[in-house]
Amino acid sequence: MNIVLWILQCLLALVFLGAGSMKVTRSKEQLLATGERMAWVNDLSAGQMKLIGILEVLAAIGLILPALTNILPILTPLAAVGLVLIMVGAMLLHIHRSDPQQALVMNVVLLLIAAFVAYGRFVLVPFTA
C-alpha cells in the first residue's frame, strides 16, 4: 500500500505542480488564450488565480518533500486535504458556470485521489517522525 500511495502522491504532485505553475507564471490573458478549457479564468481576478496557483504548487511540494525528508511528515496528508478543498472549490466554480461535464469529471477524479492519499497517510500507512 505504501508504494501505491507514493505513486498517487507523485502523480498528484506532477499534475498540481504543472497546473499551479501555469497559473502563477502566466497572465490571465495568456491563460484565456489557451482555449475554452480555461474559460473559467474569466470568473476570477488575477490575484485569485495566482493564489490558487500558489496553493497548488505548495500542495504539490507538500505531498512529496515532508514524506521524503521525514521532516514534519504530517504535512503530506494535510497537503492532500488541501487539494481536496481546492477541488471542491473548482467543482463549485464549474457548477456555477454550467461548464461541460468533462471539467467536473477531472475535478472529481483528482479529489478522489487526493482524498485517498489523505486517508492512506493518516490511517493506512502513516509516516512516523
Side-chain angles (χ1 to χ4, degrees), residues 10-80:
C10 290
L11 174 70
L12 280 176
L14 287 173
V15 167
F16 283 102
L17 187 62
S21 297
M22 184 173 63
K23 291 177 188 100
V24 170
T25 59
R26 295 185 184 175
S27 70
K28 187 173 176 177
E29 293 74 26
Q30 289 172 315
L31 289 174
L32 284 170
T34 62
E36 185 62 32
R37 66 182 182 89
M38 295 295 282
W40 58 268
V41 172
N42 275 325
D43 290 11
L44 300 176
S45 70
Q48 290 170 322
M49 187 191 63
K50 298 287 184 201
L51 176 63
I52 292 168
I54 290 168
L55 292 174
E56 289 175 346
V57 169
L58 289 174
I61 293 167
L63 284 170
I64 303 298
L65 198 57
L68 195 61
T69 62
N70 205 28
I71 298 172
L72 294 174
I74 188 67
L75 293 177
T76 295
L78 291 176

Side-chain angles (χ1 to χ4, degrees), residues 12 15-16 37 83 87-88 90-95 98-114:
L12 280 176
V15 167
F16 283 102
R37 66 182 182 89
L83 289 176
M87 288 298 96
V88 168
M91 290 168 51
L92 292 173
L93 178 64
H94 289 304
I95 290 169
S98 300
D99 284 340
Q101 291 288 353
Q102 304 92 287
L104 280 176
V105 169
M106 185 57 134
N107 293 147
V108 169
V109 168
L110 291 171
L111 181 145
L112 291 174
I113 294 171

